[in-house]
Structure formats: structure tokens, C-alpha cells
Amino acid sequence: MKRLFFLLVLICAAPLAAAPYAEHQARRPELFDPETGYRIGRQRAPTPDDIPAPAVLVTPQEARALLAEGALALDVFAAQQSRFDELEGTWLVSEQRLSLPGAVWLPEVGRGRLSDIMQRYLEDNLARMTAGDRARALLVYCVADCWMSWNAAQRIADLGYSRVYWFRLGTDGWLDIGGTLEPVDPVAVDVD
């Protein structure tokens, strides 16, 4: 009986991983924005095994196929311990980011709540990179166990982009299938 009780305690105390989004939100509602549903707290934590449509969850192999077909790789990894220069718009990053070959790095656009500047940064760069084609395939990622890419994929889909793919495992999953990573610099913020 003690063994059964101990097992039950371990199961209940285990962190929620690879569960549907609704379970994550129900278990820790304070970590989510009640209006948008975006994750606003503890960005580095196990992510759900689903994402609301129209965004689509993809495996590393599917991500590779999408990139081979011309999808745009959007890295939304946070600019940790960094910020952008408010006079010039360049990011002052503390360490080099390694990302998928050919990726575009838009840091901080996966936060649960964006400032007006960061919202415009996302919208303007998406419009520029897709030449206004909202049907362009977009592969959105970060690293494994990071809600930034989940939030960003949702936000991009909410902006009307119809082919948004969430690569849940990000650069970690890419390395797992033998992919290589390259240095990438963050896109500057337009401060004019």
C-alpha cells in the first residue's frame, strides 16, 4: 500500500510535460494571459504537445522537409540578458546565437505580452520577409521546452498568416536529427 501511495504522489507531483495545452493552462492558469491564452510566465518549461489551429505542430523531420520546400525559418529565441539600443535599434547580445541555416532571428517576439515597439517589430519584419504573402510557409521555433515559439506561432497565425508551423523542439530537435547550426544575428529594431 505504501508503494502505491508513493507512486501516486510521484505521478501527481511530476511536472506537466507533453500534455495538451488545455492541461497546462488548467494546472497553472496564473502563467497564461486570460485574454489571449499566451504563456506569460516561466517561458522555459515543458511545452504542450499541441497548438491551436491554424498553427501546426511539426516534428524535426517535417521541419527539415518544410525548409527544403522553401519555408522561412523564424528563430524567436530570447535575447537573454540583452536588449536593443533605443537610439540605433541594434541588439546588444551577450552571446552568439546558433540557429538553423538561413534562419532569421527575431528575439523577444515570443513573450506573452509585447510592447507596442516589439509588436510593430514582428509585424513589419514578417511583412518584409514574406513580401506581404500571408500564405508563405513560416517555421517558428526556439529551443526545446520553451514557450516563446508557441506564443510566437500563435501570434503570427493571429496576424493572418495561414501556413504557420510550430517546431516545438527547435534547435535541440534539429541537432537530434543531425542538422547543423550557424551563427545568426538578431534583426535590428526600426527605431525611426
Side-chain angles (χ1 to χ4, degrees):
M1 189 68 167
K2 278 186 177 181
R3 192 176 265 171
L4 182 59
F5 176 74
F6 181 70
L7 183 59
L8 183 60
V9 167
L10 279 178
I11 290 170
C12 292
L16 190 60
Y21 163 69
E23 288 182 30
H24 284 268
Q25 190 178 38
R27 186 169 183 186
R28 299 293 305 271
E30 72 280 6
L31 296 177
F32 296 87
D33 184 299
E35 291 179 27
T36 64
Y38 299 151
R39 177 90 171 213
I40 57 173
R42 272 194 81 227
Q43 299 294 333
R44 287 301 308 265
T47 54
D49 59 7
D50 66 349
I51 189 166
V56 176
L57 171 67
V58 295
T59 66
Q61 294 80 6
E62 291 168 325
R64 179 182 279 160
L66 284 163
L67 292 174
E69 294 168 7
L72 178 61
L74 293 177
D75 190 334
V76 298
F77 188 73
Q80 296 180 347
Q81 300 175 1
S82 304
R83 61 179 178 78
F84 68 90
D85 182 297
E86 294 175 3
L87 296 177
E88 296 179 16
T90 55
W91 287 91
L92 309 169
V93 294
S94 57
E95 61 184 66
Q96 180 70 61
R97 169 80 174 140
L98 297 177
S99 192
L100 279 61
V104 175
W105 183 18
L106 298 177
E108 302 302 319
V109 299
R111 296 282 176 199
R113 294 184 179 124
L114 296 184
S115 67
D116 291 343
I117 291 172
M118 292 312 297
Q119 182 68 34
R120 189 178 77 236
Y121 173 72
L122 173 63
E123 291 175 14
D124 291 351
N125 279 294
L126 285 172
R128 180 182 53 78
M129 292 180 298
T130 64
D133 180 4
R134 290 183 184 255
R136 170 92 189 261
L138 304 172
L139 182 69
V140 182
Y141 65 93
C142 182
V143 295
D145 293 330
C146 182
W147 284 81
M148 299 277 280
S149 59
W150 189 92
N151 285 342
Q154 287 288 63
R155 184 172 282 119
I156 292 167
D158 288 345
L159 290 172
Y161 290 86
S162 60
R163 296 180 60 210
V164 179
Y165 299 94
W166 176 46
F167 181 18
R168 177 180 180 223
L169 298 177
T171 53
D172 298 312
W174 188 253
L175 289 173
D176 288 346
I177 61 168
T180 60
L181 300 177
E182 300 177 346
V184 64
D185 292 319
V187 175
V189 177
D190 184 2
V191 292
D192 292 331

